[in-house]
Amino acid sequence: MIPRSTAIPKSPSWQRQLAQSFTRLSTFLEWLGLDRSELSHLCDDSADFPFRVTRDFASRIHKGDANDPLLLQILPLQQESIVADGFSLDPVGDTHAAVSQGILQKYHGRALLITTAACAIHCRYCFRRHFPYQQQHLEKQLSDETLEKLNTPEISEIILSGGDPLTLNDKRLAQLLLQLTQLPHLKRLRMHTRMPVILPSRVTPELVGMLRDFPLPVTTVLHINHPNELDESVASALRQLHHGSRHILNQAVLLRGINDSPEILRQLCEKGFEMGILPYYVHQLDRVHGSAHFQVSKQRALKLETQLREQLPGYLVPKFVTEIAGKESKMPIGKF
Ligand SMILES: *Cc1c(COP(=O)(O)O)cnc(C)c1O
Ligand code: SF4
């Protein structure tokens, strides 16, 4: 018998759950009860951006429904290889905004840290799906040189981005946060993550504790596109997260056939609000190669924005924006 003290320590349950994600399309479709013949134009072999989804997210997909709005976000399709006009590998100019390894400075006053390349889900419309992460993500520790670059009055906010920063373990995050406390000009910390929705168990007491103890206000920006992504397990994780993150906001991407309806967007805003999330942005799709089939026209987007404004109080209406490479902030879609 192994004495207790020498037993291998168990990894946290979220890491074990993450390891149980679906990474094979065929296993996943079988589990969903969908036959390939019901899904046309599947692409099994997208080696550079393979299929991936957690069991949590998968459990919110209606079994047997080939048009489920959560399923459509993750199904690799042959349309992804279509070369469409105006679509490119780096639509938002990320590679030009790199000021040093793992740091993008695109927006005035804010520096974005590419903390990791990893995500717990592969969203097919992702604008960073072709991002050269190998050269561009942060080293394990921020080097003195990197800290020096960030240590300027011109940067008052750090945005932890990726990939998904919450795929890092608590120890790595704690180290990173500790390093950031050395920056006297910082006023705010922000985290852009899908994990509380994709893998609610990631919101550990340790994570909440380290965010709560961070000396500056922390804001979490989630990424939820459809109200069906929200269930009781997410609500429960967000109740915990609120103890560490002062604000929880949501940005969604407007996606054809998934959430381009006033009713769905209204439900998303209202259901999110019940769980303590304030709507932040609805993005016009970034025109990344392989995502043309998700695009919603500008006219339609403007109409949706008006419809939402007619139905909801002002604070529940997200800003409809688009990202233009080289601009220092998002732009209201009406202007472009
Ligand atoms: C736009 C954007 C930001 C920062 O812009 P804000 O207008 O300050 O929210 C950060 N990360 C991503 C992925 C973005 O698209
Ligand atoms: S979680 Fe975000 S970064 Fe990761 S694949 Fe989805 S959209 Fe892209």
Side-chain angles (χ1 to χ4, degrees):
M1 204 173 102
I2 306 173
R4 263 176 176 259
S5 58
T6 59
I8 300 166
K10 276 215 254 169
S11 51
S13 69
W14 71 268
Q15 284 179 325
R16 277 178 279 130
Q17 286 174 15
L18 185 59
Q20 286 160 7
S21 295
F22 289 106
T23 52
R24 283 192 51 198
L25 189 55
S26 49
T27 322
F28 169 71
L29 292 178
E30 206 172 295
W31 176 86
L32 256 192
L34 275 179
D35 195 82
R36 275 171 182 274
S37 59
E38 299 170 69
L39 301 158
S40 49
H41 314 302
L42 275 186
C43 168
D44 251 335
D45 168 38
S46 42
D48 57 337
F49 194 57
F51 175 78
R52 165 175 281 281
V53 68
T54 59
R55 301 254 164 187
D56 287 280
F57 193 83
S59 72
R60 299 171 212 148
I61 296 173
H62 297 123
K63 287 206 165 179
D65 179 0
N67 288 314
D68 182 278
L70 275 52
L71 176 67
L72 296 179
Q73 296 182 42
I74 55 170
L75 264 193
L77 301 181
Q78 284 165 16
Q79 278 111 301
E80 293 180 15
S81 54
I82 294 175
V83 178
D85 244 12
F87 284 69
S88 67
L89 292 178
D90 180 16
V92 297
D94 270 356
T95 38
H96 296 293
V99 290
S100 100
Q101 181 163 351
I103 305 180
L104 303 186
Q105 210 178 335
K106 291 165 76 169
Y107 312 108
H108 186 78
R110 292 146 283 176
L112 205 131
L113 302 192
I114 304 289
T115 55
T116 169
C119 284
I121 184 170
H122 283 173
C123 318
R124 304 318 299 179
Y125 53 82
C126 177
F127 75 97
R128 291 221 177 102
R129 56 180 293 171
H130 305 290
F131 191 70
Y133 281 111
Q134 295 321 320
Q135 302 115 54
Q136 290 288 9
H137 76 82
L138 282 181
E139 308 277 358
K140 278 207 155 120
Q141 293 268 334
L142 299 180
S143 65
D144 290 345
E145 187 199 351
T146 303
L147 278 170
E148 210 41 55
K149 284 220 168 84
L150 294 174
N151 188 10
T152 146
E154 271 153 43
I155 297 177
S156 48
E157 177 167 358
I158 294 281
I159 302 174
L160 304 182
S161 184
D164 196 313
L166 289 187
T167 56
L168 298 180
N169 64 33
D170 287 334
K171 194 169 154 214
R172 280 282 304 281
L173 277 173
Q175 284 168 345
L176 187 58
L177 293 190
L178 184 66
Q179 287 197 295
L180 295 179
T181 59
Q182 297 169 27
L183 300 170
H185 302 290
L186 276 198
K187 295 182 186 151
R188 301 176 286 277
L189 177 71
R190 199 184 331 166
M191 190 167 67
H192 277 222
T193 177
R194 249 198 135 177
M195 288 293 262
V197 180
I198 303 303
L199 193 74
S201 59
R202 176 63 190 95
V203 182
T204 58
E206 291 74 21
L207 173 68
V208 172
M210 76 176 88
L211 296 176
R212 191 190 51 222
D213 294 342
F214 194 74
L216 300 172
V218 177
T219 300
T220 304
V221 180
L222 300 172
H223 171 184
I224 307 156
N225 300 314
H226 193 282
N228 292 2
E229 292 174 49
L230 296 168
D231 68 2
E232 183 44 41
S233 69
V234 178
S236 160
L238 294 181
R239 279 194 289 275
Q240 299 309 311
L241 187 60
H242 263 292
H243 295 294
S245 180
R246 193 181 294 187
H247 304 284
I248 301 182
L249 311 176
N250 183 50
Q251 56 180 354
V253 179
L254 206 50
L255 299 166
R256 184 155 89 215
I258 293 175
N259 62 6
D260 58 339
S261 113
E263 185 52 24
I264 295 297
L265 289 174
R266 184 182 63 73
Q267 284 174 25
L268 174 63
C269 295
E270 292 197 319
K271 198 168 168 190
F273 181 71
E274 272 174 47
M275 299 185 184
I277 308 167
L278 280 175
Y280 182 34
Y281 283 142
V282 167
H283 289 264
Q284 195 61 327
L285 182 79
D286 291 317
R287 301 206 287 170
V288 68
H289 173 62
S291 69
H293 54 294
F294 287 117
Q295 200 178 24
V296 175
S297 74
K298 182 174 142 185
Q299 292 87 321
R300 177 139 185 79
L302 285 169
K303 175 135 191 256
L304 287 167
E305 186 180 24
T306 308
Q307 286 167 315
L308 275 192
R309 202 175 291 126
E310 284 165 359
Q311 292 186 54
L312 288 170
Y315 62 92
L316 289 189
V317 182
K319 301 177 180 80
F320 279 60
V321 292
T322 187
E323 173 124 1
I324 315 270
K327 291 268 185 219
E328 286 205 343
S329 70
K330 312 268 181 219
M331 294 291 158
I333 49 169
K335 300 237 168 94
F336 285 87

